Amino acid sequence: MNRVIVEYAKLTTDILDMLVEKYPDGYDYSDVISFKNSKGETVKAIEVRTEETIYLVKISDRLEQTMEDYAEDEDSFDDTDDIDLEDIEEDED
């Protein structure tokens, strides 16, 4: 299974759909995963899964607002299904 860490700026509509479906009322402290990245920095993220991939979406102040806005008006968001994998850390199990 692939693990992909996704920055707020790299969210696709597919990932936003999964986030809004899993966390319709927003996420809380118990949903947050903390880990150290390759630079030794602590990263906080929330998780969504597909059959093939675990997405760890980094938490930012703008993430929750974007999830709320997206849930209210999906049509206003551009479809950016192409992710630049150079900017995403990926591990395989």
Side-chain angles (χ1 to χ4, degrees):
M1 180 167 284
N2 292 324
R3 289 186 209 161
V4 180
I5 300 169
V6 182
E7 300 268 350
Y8 163 80
K10 299 289 183 180
L11 286 178
T12 65
T13 54
D14 289 341
I15 296 171
L16 274 170
D17 283 336
M18 290 186 291
L19 285 169
V20 169
E21 183 177 324
K22 185 171 181 179
Y23 307 105
D25 299 320
Y27 54 87
D28 62 26
Y29 183 75
S30 65
D31 299 316
V32 176
I33 299 166
S34 295
F35 59 93
K36 299 274 185 188
N37 66 11
S38 61
K39 297 177 184 175
E41 303 165 330
T42 299
V43 176
K44 294 182 187 249
I46 53 176
E47 178 184 279
V48 290
R49 293 176 179 237
T50 66
E51 289 182 20
E52 299 135 8
T53 306
I54 299 171
Y55 293 98
L56 297 175
V57 181
K58 288 184 180 182
I59 294 175
S60 70
D61 294 335
R62 295 178 59 189
L63 175 61
E64 190 163 348
Q65 185 62 48
T66 299
M67 287 172 61
E68 289 174 15
D69 293 347
Y70 183 74
E72 291 172 8
D73 188 14
E74 290 183 30
D75 294 333
S76 69
F77 283 78
D78 291 332
D79 190 9
T80 55
D81 287 340
D82 296 328
I83 299 174
D84 185 356
L85 294 178
E86 291 180 15
D87 294 336
I88 298 174
E89 298 176 32
E90 181 174 320
D91 297 320
E92 291 199 21
D93 277 349

